[in-house]
Amino acid sequence: MTLPTPEAVSAVTIILAEYTDSRHAEDMLALMDEYSRHPFGGGVPLPDRCRAELPSKLASFPGAFSVLAYSDDEAVGLVNCFTGFSTFACQPLVNIHDVIVSARVRGKGLCAEMLDFVAREAKKQGCCKLTMEVLERNRTAQLAYRRAGFKPYTLDEEFGQAEFWQRYL
């Protein structure tokens, strides 16, 4: 499948976030709130508890790292990641938990740039792969993830694609 290449975002800087840096923390929370308010993020503001605790909780969580993207000194993208482990490859992996591209810069290739940054960081950590979840009706995100080299997870076509399930505790 050949996918069209979007017009790039100008003057993009992508960095590993420092959870204890007040600007990074504020930028992360603003982007998380924008995502949370979108229908694919639940359609409600980021809870007050998350606003108060998220950066410090991420800072203390083993294997957590986040990527921030800035365009013209404005935070426009965020990817939150967690290191896990592949028992079949016997190597660490990175699960991409949140991918946020601000509405004002969507469709310009920022998602792929951030995911490439995450891939380079994962390789530095000796990881064998990146994993992520995506809602089945979020076609825009699926297209962006395909552009970045992702595809649905299958071991054998006969058994179908993996599904993401959850159980609240």
Side-chain angles (χ1 to χ4, degrees):
M1 173 194 301
T2 303
L3 301 172
T5 303
E7 178 184 324
V9 176
S10 65
V12 172
T13 303
I14 300 173
I15 61 168
L16 280 174
E18 293 288 338
Y19 298 127
T20 57
D21 180 291
S22 61
R23 174 158 186 214
H24 290 185
E26 288 173 24
D27 291 342
M28 289 177 60
L29 292 171
L31 288 162
M32 286 293 300
D33 185 63
E34 181 180 345
Y35 176 52
S36 185
R37 290 172 186 268
H38 189 278
F40 286 129
V44 296
L46 190 66
D48 289 340
R49 179 171 174 248
C50 289
R51 287 183 174 284
E53 299 177 12
L54 186 60
S56 63
K57 294 276 188 175
L58 287 171
S60 67
F61 197 85
F65 69 95
S66 298
V67 170
L68 277 165
Y70 290 90
S71 179
D72 299 325
D73 206 37
E74 178 183 10
V76 293
L78 172 67
V79 182
N80 290 318
C81 304
F82 299 92
T83 305
F85 194 80
S86 169
T87 53
F88 286 101
C90 197
Q91 288 181 272
L93 59 80
V94 169
N95 179 259
I96 298 168
H97 191 70
D98 302 302
V99 178
I100 303 158
V101 175
S102 185
R104 55 196 177 276
V105 296
R106 286 189 192 134
K108 300 184 182 209
L110 181 58
C111 179
E113 288 185 50
M114 291 191 304
L115 293 175
D116 285 346
F117 186 98
V118 169
R120 288 190 300 275
E121 184 61 29
K123 282 183 181 180
K124 286 181 198 173
Q125 295 181 24
C127 295
C128 62
K129 68 179 175 178
L130 303 176
T131 63
M132 64 168 34
E133 300 85 38
V134 61
L135 294 173
E136 69 179 303
R137 292 199 175 106
N138 192 345
R139 303 288 186 223
T140 302
Q142 290 177 18
L143 180 60
Y145 301 155
R146 285 183 186 276
R147 280 189 183 121
F150 287 83
K151 61 183 179 179
Y153 175 78
T154 59
L155 287 174
D156 183 325
E157 292 293 330
E158 177 183 346
F159 299 112
Q161 295 177 7
E163 295 179 354
F164 180 69
W165 290 21
Q166 66 182 6
R167 175 182 167 186
Y168 287 105
L169 303 177

